[in-house]
Amino acid sequence: MVTRYNNCDLSSRNTFRMKVKCALYVEVTAEEDLQALDWAALPQPVLVLGGGSNLLFTKDFPGTVMHVAICHSERSEESVTCGAGVVFDDFCAWAAAEGLWGPENLSLIPGEVGASAVQNIGAYGVEAKDIIADIRAYDRETGQFVQIDPATCGYGYRTSKFKTEWKGRYVITAVTYRLSRTPQPRLDYGGVRKALEEMGGCEPMLTPSLVREAIIGIRRQKLPAVEEVGSAGSFFCNPVISREHFERIVAIARADNGPDYEVPHYDTPGGVKVPAAWMIDQCGFKGARNGGAQVYPGQPLVIVNASGTASPQEIIGLEQQIIQTIERKYGITLHPEVEHV
Ligand code: EPU
């Protein structure tokens, strides 16, 4: 079924709750709808929206916003194929309840299944690409459905070819995730093991549900609930810099915080990853406001629509203040993770 709304208000369809409109909003509920649509007749450009949880509408959108509300799921023994419109956390909750390992560390990430494959969502040492077995999509160039091997998708940190060279070409309709009955807990990141210990969970007894519960606990402590306050999760990517540059950052941090101060960082194959949250915190931005926009006090990597009526310009103003201050202090240019539309 295809549903159309002209001049549609998008505030309930983006988690930042930006009050903007699009010329046309189209929702499809079946694959056939994509083939039956007269694409050339739609107001251009066409933007495919998942849960609207990773973008910032900066102004009214002149074209078509399309939501793929294909929500069926099909299970085989150790995998499940979910329609692109399935809420990603519903899939995580279902897998945990079935005792299946795979997505538990990705619990409570806002958004839908289709976006998980575009954005390569990640948290607590796991990324969507680690569990994606297959992707089904409508190819707008040929008008046909294709299966896409995730190995060809160019997956990286919060990115894929769907965001770059394939942008606008494929409309993802379903994703198949690999699951396992064999325990494979990943606990070595960001306080997961500690949270489990505090809950009384120990390794031989672990279940996906317990890990999910620990992750949900950590996220609820740090991150704003999108039902309560508008945001799009982490606003910036964590930058990777050279070892020499990192040494300069350490010197600056020690001048500020004392000679024994340790700068949080992760060594990666490309260099040293320094948490953007740390730099934003060091520059005193925790809780900073620009009109209705605010740097979230619990996790400064997140910008929130604190008043509920923040304008895109207020969010962008705060973003620019952060970028410029960090550039001046550390010589690092932060890049937004949130897509600006
Ligand atoms: N930190 C501070 N001050 C703070 C908060 C954090 O200095 O107020 C420092 C700490 O050293 C902390 C470090 O920043 O160890 C990293 O913080 P955290 O572990 O919360 O994770 P992150 O690197 O800020 C990333 C993802 C999150 C994901 C978490 C957990 C990105 C852009 N963000 O954040 O993803 O949930 O790791 O894996 O990679 C999202 O994409 O929307 C998202 C929330």
Side-chain angles (χ1 to χ4, degrees):
M1 193 173 79
V2 181
T3 315
R4 293 163 185 263
Y5 302 96
N6 287 309
N7 201 23
C8 181
D9 173 27
L10 294 170
S11 43
S12 64
R13 300 170 209 272
N14 71 98
T15 59
F16 243 132
R17 306 208 192 130
M18 292 296 108
K19 200 163 171 44
V20 294
K21 287 181 171 181
C22 62
L24 178 68
Y25 184 86
V26 174
E27 188 165 85
V28 299
T29 54
E31 285 194 341
E32 306 80 80
D33 298 338
L34 292 169
Q35 252 166 344
L37 264 182
D38 182 357
W39 287 80
L42 297 174
Q44 301 294 318
V46 178
L47 170 74
V48 178
L49 192 71
S53 58
N54 199 53
L55 48 76
L56 174 66
F57 282 110
T58 57
K59 52 184 182 303
D60 287 340
F61 187 73
T64 302
V65 171
M66 179 178 292
H67 181 225
V68 181
I70 300 177
C71 295
H72 68 272
S73 295
E74 218 175 290
R75 179 189 176 169
S76 57
E77 186 39 34
E78 292 209 324
S79 71
V80 63
T81 300
C82 298
V86 170
V87 171
F88 186 78
D89 191 55
D90 288 352
F91 151 65
C92 296
W94 169 84
E98 293 286 318
L100 290 162
W101 294 91
E104 62 283 350
N105 288 33
L106 304 176
S107 291
L108 219 61
I109 295 183
E112 296 176 359
V113 158
S116 76
V118 172
Q119 169 74 358
N120 187 26
I121 57 173
Y124 306 103
V126 177
E127 290 181 316
K129 74 169 172 51
D130 303 333
I131 57 166
I132 293 177
D134 196 16
I135 297 163
R136 185 168 165 81
Y138 175 70
D139 183 349
R140 286 180 59 189
E141 274 179 18
T142 62
Q144 300 301 314
F145 288 93
V146 288
Q147 298 297 135
I148 303 176
D149 177 349
T152 64
C153 293
Y155 280 126
Y157 170 51
R158 298 293 199 278
T159 192
S160 73
K161 288 188 188 169
F162 295 110
K163 292 177 77 172
T164 54
E165 61 183 90
W166 293 346
K167 198 171 168 68
R169 175 167 177 185
Y170 294 110
V171 181
I172 295 178
T173 58
V175 178
T176 303
Y177 300 103
R178 210 177 302 110
L179 302 165
S180 172
R181 292 230 165 259
T182 315
Q184 21 187 254
R186 282 142 304 178
L187 313 179
D188 293 326
Y189 190 97
V192 182
R193 191 181 298 277
K194 186 161 159 269
L196 273 164
E197 280 162 10
E198 282 165 12
M199 285 164 49
C202 55
E203 209 141 337
M205 308 281 287
L206 279 186
T207 61
S209 287
L210 264 178
V211 178
R212 172 174 165 80
E213 209 184 302
I215 299 281
I216 288 177
I218 300 173
R219 289 188 74 97
R220 287 226 165 104
Q221 243 177 24
K222 285 189 183 178
L223 297 164
V226 286
E227 319 78 71
E228 282 157 28
V229 52
S231 88
S234 298
F235 197 92
F236 298 101
C237 290
N238 285 325
V240 175
I241 56 176
S242 69
R243 170 103 352 233
E244 297 72 47
H245 196 162
F246 179 66
E247 294 308 334
R248 293 204 297 278
I249 305 280
V250 170
I252 298 168
R254 291 195 172 154
D256 288 345
N257 302 285
D260 300 326
Y261 187 81
E262 293 293 337
V263 177
H265 66 282
Y266 313 93
D267 291 316
T268 71
V272 184
K273 190 182 256 193
V274 184
W278 173 80
M279 289 186 271
I280 300 170
D281 190 357
Q282 288 282 306
C283 290
F285 276 110
K286 249 184 179 175
R289 283 183 181 257
N290 182 39
Q294 187 187 25
V295 176
Y296 192 62
Q299 165 47 297
L301 194 53
V302 178
I303 295 181
V304 294
N305 177 355
S307 63
T309 55
S311 65
Q313 288 65 37
E314 287 170 344
I315 309 270
I316 293 168
L318 196 50
E319 171 190 17
Q320 289 308 319
Q321 284 175 33
I322 294 171
I323 292 176
Q324 285 161 17
T325 306
I326 286 180
E327 243 163 21
R328 274 198 302 270
K329 186 167 173 87
Y330 297 115
I332 294 178
T333 306
L334 291 183
H335 295 287
E337 196 212 302
V338 170
E339 189 183 349
H340 292 43
V341 178

